[in-house]
C-alpha cells in the first residue's frame, strides 16, 4: 500500500475555495481583501522573525521541508515483512554473504540497505544497533526541526498581523475624520489580522503538523526495520521474527497479511 | 461490570438541548442562527486544514475513531482475574498444552489470546514480553493519533470561525450604510465565531479527550493482561499472581472481589 | 500533625464573599446577576461536554473526588518513623511473625498494612516492591484522573460562557431597538461569560489543583512507606533506616524529630 | 563569589517606579487608580482561590517562600572545590576519622555536613548515594511547590480581574445614564483588570520564576556536592576528583580557578 | 562548512524595514509612533520583571547571550571526522602519547581537547564518559538558561504593554472630552500594546529560539565528539568509527563526504 499524500493539495484547494466562496457570497468583491503592504508586513515580517531565529543551514531546508509535506512516505510494512522473510530464508540456506547481490540493489531503502551491509561486513550486533539508533535519532531530528520552523512561523504570523492592525488603528485614531473614514480605515487595519490567521491556520500550522505526523510514520517504519535486522542478526526463528514484525501492522494490514499467509499455506 | 458509554450521546443531547433552550428563550427564533456559508467556512475550512495535516490512511480512520468514542470498552478486570486463576490451575495440573482448546475460543480478547498462544508455542519469556510491549505501544499510538485528529480539528475550527468573522467585519466596514445595517452585518459576522466555539467545545475536544481517556482505560487493562501472562510464564504461586492482579483493581472492585473470594472460602 | 483542610471551605467563602461585596457595593442589587438560563447554558452545557468526554464509571467518581478535595490527608510522617522503629525492634527481637497481631489492627493505614502482610507471608522482596509499585501507580492515576475531570470542566465552562454571550450578542444585533435596549441586552449577554469565569476560577480549577496537590502529598507519604518496608525487608540497621526516613521530613518536622529523639536519649 | 540577590527589590522598585511615572505623566493624578474594592476582589478573590487549592501546611509556607525569593543562594562552587581538595588530603593522610572535627563545624552547609557524617559513620557507599538522592529530591520539591503557589496565584489574579471588570460592565450596562456616566463606569470597571495584570506580571510570576531559578542553582550545587562525596568515598585520585568538580564551573569561574591553581603551582 | 549566522541581522533589518514601510505608507508620519514614556513602561517595566526573576549572575549574562545569538557556531562535522581518522591513525601507529603535541594546539575545540587530554593522561574510560557527560549537561544548561531569559522577557513585555494601554484607557475614560480627544487618547494608549507585541515578536522570542536552536546544534556536535572519543578509547576499527561518525551527518554532508572519500580511494 503506497501512501499517497494527495490530501495536502486537496485540503489547500478546499480551504482556499471555501474562503473565496465566503468572500464572494458577501457581495463586496475580492478586491477589498487584497492589500500588498498588509501581506508584506504580516508574512514578510514574520519571515523576518524566522530568519532571526534560525541560521542559514536551517532556512535553506524550508523548500525541502515543503516538498516533504506533499510527498507521501513509502512505508509499505507488508512488503517489508516479505522482504525480511526472504532474506532470512536465503541466509539460513547459504549464509549471510548470499544476500550481498540483493542488498546492493536496494536503492530506495537506504536505511535497510545500510543495516544489511553492516551485517554482511560482520559488524558486531551491539555496534549495528548503536549505529542504527543514531541514524534513527538523526531522522527524528530532521522531521522535528522542519516541523518546528513552520510552527514557529505560524506563531509569529498572527503576532505580526496584530502589529499591522495596531499600526492601522493608531494611525486612524490619531487623526479622525468622518465616521465613514474610520470604518474604512478599520477595515484596512483588520486585513493584516485576517492574513495572519489565514496563513497560520491554512498553511503554517497544518504543514508543521503534517511533517510531524510524517516523521512519526517513518520513524515507526524504521523501528520495524531495526527490529527485523536484530531478529536476523540474533538468528531468531522464522516464527519469532514474523510474530514480532506483524505486531507493527495495524488491524487492517494484519488481516490482509493473515489472509495472504493462509492462502500460501 | 461492562462499562457502558451511553454518556456520549446523552452529553451531546444535553449540550445541544441547552443551547437550543438559550436560543429559543431569547425569543428571536432559531433562523438567525442558521447560515450555511458560515457553516462551510468554519467546519469545512477547518476540515480542509485537517486534510492538509494528515495523509489518506489517517483521514480514513476518522469514522472508526468516532465509533470508538461511542462504544464502551470491555475491560472487565474482575473476570480477568478469574480467567487467570482458572488458566493457572489447569496449567499446574495438566501442563501448558491443556489450555489450547480454551485459548482458541477467546475471540473477544485478541490480546490475551495472542499472549497465551505464544506461551503454548513455547516462545521464550523475554520474547513474549517484547512482542506484547510492541503491541501495547501500537494500541497506545492508535488511540493517541485518533485523539490528536479531533483535538487538532478543535484547534483549527475556532481559528476559521475568527477568519469568517474577520471577513464579515471587513466587508461590513468597507462600505457602511445605516447603523441598523452595521448591527445586522455584525450579527452575521459573529455566527462563524459561534460555530467555531460550539463545534470545538461540544464535539471536537470532548471526542478527542474521550478517545484519549478510553485509550488509558484499555492500556491499563492490557498492562494487567501482560502482568498476568508474565506471572503464568514465571510460574508464580497462585497467591503472588492474585496479589499482583488485585492491585490493578480500584477500591470498589477490590471490595467486591474480596467479598466474592471469602464467599467461596 | 494531622493536616486539616479547612482552607477549602474558607477559600470558597472568602471568594464568594468578596464577589458579593463587589456586587453590592455597585449599588445595583444582586438581582441583575442572577439568570437561570445563563447558568444552565454555561454550567449545564459544559457539564454536557464533560459527559461526552468521560464514561459512566468516571463520572460517578465526581462526588467522591469532591469529598477528596475537602478531606485532609492523614500523612503523619513523624508517627510513621516511630511505627517503623518499633516494628523494626520487634522483628529484630522476636522475628517477623511477632508483628502479626499489630499489623491486623492497622485499619487506617491500608497501604502499610498490605506491605507488612506480604512481608509476614514471606513474599519475595522483589515481588513486594513490584506489588507496591503497581499500587502506588494506581493511587497516582486515581488522583490524576479526578483532578483532570475538574480541570477539563474548567476549560469547557468559559467556552460555553462565551457561546452564551455570542448567542446573546447575535440576537441583540439582529434586530436592534433603542440604545438602552442594546445596553441591557449586552448586560444579559455578558452574564454567561461572568459565570464561566467565576465557576472555573473559583471552583473547577482550584478543586482540580487541590486534588493534584493532595495526590502529591499522599504519593510522597506512600513512597516513604515503601522505603521503610524495603529497609525492614533488607535488614537495614536501625541507624540506616532512620537516616533514610528522616530525609522525607521537611525542615520543621526534622527539627521537632531531632528534639524528641534527643529528649529520649 | 557570594551571589547577591539585590535585584529582586531593585526590579520591584524599577517596575513600580515606571508605572507611577506613566500614571503621573498622564496628568490625571494617581487617585483614579486607587480603589479598595477593586483590590479586594482581584487580589483577595484570587487569594481565596489559592486557599481552596492548597492545605494549611502549604499556605503557611508562603512567607518563607517570599523570603526565599529575596535571599541569595550561597553556592560558592570555587570554595567547594577547595574544601573537597582539603578534605581529600586529610583523609588520604590520616584516614576518614580525621575530618570529624572539621565536619562538626560546617553549620552553614547542612547537606555537605550530612554526607560527610554518613561517610565518617562508615555507611555503605550505595546507601549514602540513596539518602542524598532522596534529600536532593525533597529540596527540589520544596522549590517546585513554592514556585507553583505563586505561578498559580498569578494565573488566578487576571481571571479575578476580568471577573471584576465583567461585574462592573454588567452593572453599568443594566441601567445606562449619560455617555459620561458610561465612560467613568467603564474606567472603574477596568481597574480590576489592571490590578490583575500588574500583580501577576510584577509580583506573582516573577517571584514564582525567581524561586524556580534559585532552585535550579541550588540543585546544581547539591549535585556537585554529591559528585564530590562520591569521589571521596570511591577513593578517586585528586586529579580525577578535581577534573570532575571543575566541570560544574561556568567558563568565568573555570578561568579564575585555573589562574589560582597555576599561581599555587 | 562554517555556518554563518548573518541571518540574525538580516532578519532584524527586514522586519524593521517592513514595519517602517507599513508606517510610512500609512501617510501619517513616524512621529505618532514614537513615545518615550510608552517605551519606558513596556520595555523598562518588563525588564524590571526580568530583574525580579533572576539574580545578578544571570542578568550579567544577557549581553553574552545576545552575542551568542549573532555569532555562528563552528560545528564542522566533516572536518571532525577527518580529525578523528587522523588521530586514530597516529594512535594505532605510535600509541596515545604521540598525539600530545597536536592536542595542545586545539585551542578552538576546548571540548575535544579536554577529552583527548583525559585519554592521554590514562583516565579510565568510564570516568572520561562521566566527565564529558557533566560538561555536556552544563553546556546544555547555559543555552537553556540564556534562551529562557529572553523568552520570559518576551512573555512580560506584552503584559506590560497591556498594562500601559489599560492605564491610558482608564485616564481617558475617567474624564472624557470631545470624541476627537477620546480617539487620540486611545491612539496613545495603544502604542504600549504595539511596543510589547513588536519587541516580543521581533526580538525577544526570535532571539530566545535562536539561542535554543544554536544550543541544539552545538550539543549534537558535542555528542559526535563524545562518540568519536569513546571509539578511540575502545579501540574501534577505523571502519566502525567512521560508520558511527558518518551517521551524525545530514544527507547533504553525507554525500559530499562519500564523494571526497571515493576520490581519495
Amino acid at each position: 500500500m503506497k501512501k499517497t499524500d494527495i490530501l495536502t493539495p486537496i485540503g489547500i484547494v478546499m480551504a482556499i475555495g471555501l474562503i473565496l466562496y465566503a468572500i464572494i457570497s458577501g457581495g463586496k468583491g475580492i478586491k477589498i481583501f487584497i492589500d500588498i503592504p498588509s501581506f508584506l508586513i504580516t508574512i514578510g515580517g514574520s519571515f523576518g522573525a524566522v530568519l532571526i531565529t534560525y541560521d542559514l543551514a536551517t532556512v535553506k531546508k524550508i523548500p525541502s521541508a515543503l516538498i516533504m509535506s506533499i510527498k507521501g512516505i513509502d512505508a509499505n510494512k507488508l512488503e517489508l515483512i516479505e522482504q525480511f522473510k526472504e532474506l532470512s530464508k536465503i541466509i539460513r540456506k547459504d549464509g549471510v554473504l548470499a544476500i550481498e547481490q540483493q542488498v546492493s540493489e536496494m536503492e530506495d531503502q537506504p536505511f535497510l540497505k545500510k543495516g544489511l551491509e553492516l551485517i554482511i561486513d560482520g559488524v558486531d550486533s551491539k555496534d549495528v544497533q548503536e549505529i542504527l539508533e543514531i541514524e534513527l535519532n538523526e531522522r527524528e531530528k530532521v522531521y522535528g526541526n522542519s516541523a518546528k520552523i513552520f510552527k514557529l512561523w505560524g506563531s509569529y504570523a498572527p503576532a505580526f498581523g496584530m502589529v499591522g492592525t495596531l499600526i492601522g488603528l493608531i494611525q486612524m485614531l490619531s487623526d479622525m475624520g468622518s465616521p465613514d473614514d474610520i470604518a474604512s480605515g478599520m477595515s484596512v487595519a483588520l486585513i493584516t489580522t485576517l492574513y495572519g490567521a489565514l496563513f497560520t491556520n491554512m498553511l503554517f500550522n497544518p504543514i508543521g503538523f503534517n511533517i510531524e505526523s510524517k516523521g512519526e510514520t517513518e520513524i515507526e517504519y524504521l523501528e520495524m526495520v531495526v527490529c527485523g535486522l536484530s531478529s536476523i542478526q540474533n538468528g531468531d526463528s522464522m516464527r519469532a521474527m514474523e510474530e514480532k514484525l506483524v505486531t507493527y501492522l495495524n488491524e487492517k494490514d494484519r488481516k490482509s497479511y493473515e489472509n495472504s499467509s493462509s492462502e500460501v499455506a
Side-chain angles (χ1 to χ4, degrees), chain A:
Chain A
M1 185 200 63
K2 203 154 200 165
K3 274 174 191 155
T4 54
D5 202 8
I6 196 174
L7 285 189
T8 303
I10 287 182
I12 292 178
V13 168
M14 178 174 167
I16 292 180
L18 285 166
I19 301 293
L20 283 179
Y21 164 68
I23 285 174
I24 288 162
S25 75
K28 297 265 163 77
I30 200 170
K31 244 179 69 186
I32 55 169
F33 289 97
I34 294 174
D35 189 48
I36 302 297
S38 296
F39 178 82
L40 286 177
I41 195 172
T42 309
I43 308 308
S46 56
F47 187 66
V50 169
L51 291 186
I52 300 172
T53 307
Y54 289 109
D55 56 18
L56 197 59
T58 311
V59 170
K60 270 184 184 160
K61 281 182 209 145
I62 294 182
S64 76
L66 262 172
I67 291 167
M68 208 186 265
S69 77
I70 299 173
K71 267 201 316 193
I73 280 184
D74 189 15
N76 191 332
K77 292 178 171 180
L78 286 174
E79 219 169 72
L80 185 66
I81 297 184
E82 293 311 321
Q83 264 183 307
F84 270 121
K85 279 165 73 176
E86 211 190 300
L87 287 167
S88 177
K89 247 183 248 162
I90 302 177
I91 291 174
R92 253 165 241 282
K93 232 182 72 194
D94 303 319
V96 84
L97 294 177
I99 61 171
E100 209 162 7
Q101 171 71 24
Q102 219 170 331
V103 170
S104 68
E105 284 160 9
M106 294 178 169
E107 285 313 326
D108 52 336
Q109 285 170 296
F111 190 74
L112 176 58
K113 190 184 173 190
K114 182 170 186 178
L116 289 169
E117 280 173 353
L118 290 169
I119 293 179
I120 293 172
D121 290 3
V123 176
D124 188 54
S125 165
K126 223 191 80 232
D127 278 352
V128 172
Q129 290 292 318
E130 195 187 330
I131 291 170
L132 295 178
E133 285 300 328
I134 304 175
E135 183 98 35
L136 224 148
N137 285 341
E138 290 302 307
R139 289 303 296 162
E140 217 162 4
K141 275 182 200 164
V142 167
Y143 281 104
N145 287 338
S146 303
K148 214 175 140 191
I149 297 174
F150 283 97
K151 286 183 180 178
L152 214 55
W153 199 350
S155 83
Y156 290 142
F160 276 84
M162 198 184 85
V163 163
T165 299
L166 282 168
I167 290 176
L169 276 178
I170 292 171
Q171 287 174 331
M172 183 188 93
L173 291 166
S174 73
D175 172 22
M176 296 218 307
S178 66
D180 255 37
D181 285 4
I182 302 174
S184 95
M186 187 79 189
S187 163
V188 172
L190 283 176
I191 283 179
T192 55
T193 296
L194 174 65
Y195 284 178
L198 259 184
F199 277 83
T200 288
N201 291 289
M202 223 166 73
L203 285 182
F204 302 144
N205 278 352
I207 287 174
F209 283 109
N210 177 311
I211 293 171
E212 199 177 87
S213 156
K214 288 225 169 93
E216 283 166 18
T217 307
E218 179 164 336
I219 294 304
E220 206 189 291
Y221 181 76
L222 297 186
E223 278 172 355
M224 194 176 160
V225 173
V226 172
C227 176
L229 288 171
S230 121
S231 258
I232 281 184
Q233 208 161 14
N234 296 341
D236 277 8
S237 74
M238 187 72 93
R239 169 79 205 275
M241 189 182 84
E242 213 182 325
E243 202 71 67
K244 281 182 194 170
L245 292 176
V246 167
T247 323
Y248 285 98
L249 300 180
N250 59 36
E251 260 170 279
K252 220 185 96 197
D253 280 3
R254 219 174 280 187
K255 264 179 213 150
S256 83
Y257 177 75
E258 274 156 25
N259 290 345
S260 71
S261 294
S262 51
E263 270 169 43
V264 175

